[in-house]
Amino acid sequence: MPEALHAALPALFISDLHLAEDHPETVAAFLGFLRGPAREAGSLFILGDLFEYWAGDDDVDAPFNRQMCAALRALSDSGVQLFYMTGNRDLLAGDDFARMTGMRLLPDPSLLVLGSQRILLSHGDALCTDDLSYQAYRRQVRDPAWQAGFLSQPLAARKAFIESLRKQSETAKQEKTMTIMDVNAGAVEVILRQYGHPALIHGHTHRPARHLHRVDGRDCVRWVLSDWHSHATWLSFDGRDFKAVVPTQT
């Protein structure tokens, strides 16, 4: 098991922003978050799907992508530690993206120690084991050989493929139950046991909540992060308490 990660407090956790030019309210909320609440943090953890999609680090010169990367770099330069775990929409974010933004890339899952609190971080899609077709797709696109072959294609071809894949995904979701697309309780218990019964934070399902799991006689808290729309939402940890923050919309 990899060595546990340490970071500065207070720590903020976000995921599933799905940033895109055609969602300006969410973009504005993100930029406001980076200029405001995030500046008061010791560390910020982004647990996947920051972008609606990321076609490869060679797409960083697109004006929108460059703007988002510059905003993250400004936060990093201010002294806040930034950590990034890719999700299913941005799994092609790599070392060049990390260098440009000043972020550290994390494997999924990653174990974090903040004070006396042990926290397991994940995007969450690996825990949706009832969705067999998705898990087969996930294994394919997470394979390094597949990614290398895909990234060797022209950027325009990659973007066209991703756009078609997004449409297929939306159609497939309409044919699946919410239960199938949610995490599997057994898979959650397995990973909590494997990592020594920590707290668990993940996103992906867009079903924000606090869950309590009883595993081997121990209580383990699981926090599901919210997706973003026209306002910012995050989970904070100050070394003692977790707090889900959903600011009042104005």
Side-chain angles (χ1 to χ4, degrees):
M1 185 182 301
E3 184 178 351
L5 174 72
H6 296 262
L9 291 168
L12 306 184
F13 305 86
I14 62 175
S15 72
D16 298 278
L17 281 69
H18 296 269
L19 296 175
E21 288 184 276
D22 55 356
H23 295 292
E25 298 87 356
T26 304
V27 173
F30 176 59
L31 295 176
F33 169 76
L34 294 184
R35 291 190 298 263
R39 292 293 176 108
E40 305 301 318
S43 55
L44 171 64
F45 292 82
I46 303 174
L47 302 186
D49 290 2
L50 175 64
F51 295 95
E52 180 64 13
Y53 70 85
W54 187 262
D57 288 357
D58 55 339
D59 196 23
V60 75
D61 287 329
F64 176 76
N65 292 342
R66 183 168 289 279
Q67 179 191 11
M68 296 303 102
C69 289
L72 287 163
R73 185 75 208 197
L75 180 62
S76 175
D77 288 345
S78 75
V80 179
Q81 298 174 337
L82 301 187
F83 300 89
Y84 195 94
M85 179 180 292
T86 62
N88 51 295
R89 298 297 188 101
D90 51 7
L91 58 93
L92 295 174
D95 292 339
D96 289 343
F97 170 74
R99 281 191 292 269
M100 174 167 285
T101 56
M103 295 196 287
R104 175 177 171 179
L105 293 177
L106 299 179
D108 186 355
S110 287
L111 185 63
L112 170 67
V113 176
L114 295 174
S116 61
Q117 179 69 60
R118 299 169 70 254
I119 304 169
L120 188 63
L121 306 176
S122 177
H123 177 59
D125 59 334
L127 301 172
C128 300
T129 55
D130 292 329
D131 193 342
L132 300 181
S133 61
Y134 175 77
Q135 291 302 321
Y137 160 80
R138 186 180 189 277
R139 286 191 295 271
Q140 177 187 30
V141 298
R142 290 278 177 178
D143 179 75
W146 185 93
Q147 291 187 10
F150 185 70
L151 289 172
S152 69
Q153 300 178 29
L155 178 60
R158 277 179 268 146
K159 287 186 171 184
F161 177 81
I162 291 172
E163 288 288 355
S164 67
L165 202 62
R166 287 170 61 202
K167 293 178 182 178
Q168 294 175 27
S169 175
E170 291 304 316
T171 300
K173 284 180 182 179
Q174 297 174 10
E175 301 173 354
K176 297 178 180 179
T177 66
M178 290 301 296
T179 300
I180 288 177
M181 291 188 292
D182 202 356
V183 300
N184 175 278
V188 170
E189 291 183 6
V190 166
I191 199 171
L192 289 173
R193 183 177 296 114
Q194 178 183 355
Y195 282 86
H197 310 91
L200 173 61
I201 300 174
H202 70 83
H204 180 68
T205 64
H206 300 189
R207 302 177 73 177
R210 177 186 183 276
H211 301 273
L212 187 64
H213 296 264
R214 188 73 173 172
V215 183
D216 303 330
R218 302 185 186 186
D219 290 331
C220 302
V221 177
R222 175 169 65 94
W223 290 94
V224 185
L225 301 175
S226 176
D227 54 328
W228 286 33
H229 296 286
S230 59
H231 63 279
T233 175
W234 65 91
L235 179 69
S236 68
F237 182 70
D238 62 6
R240 184 178 63 181
D241 299 313
F242 289 100
K243 181 181 179 182
V245 181
V246 182
T248 302
Q249 293 179 259
T250 58

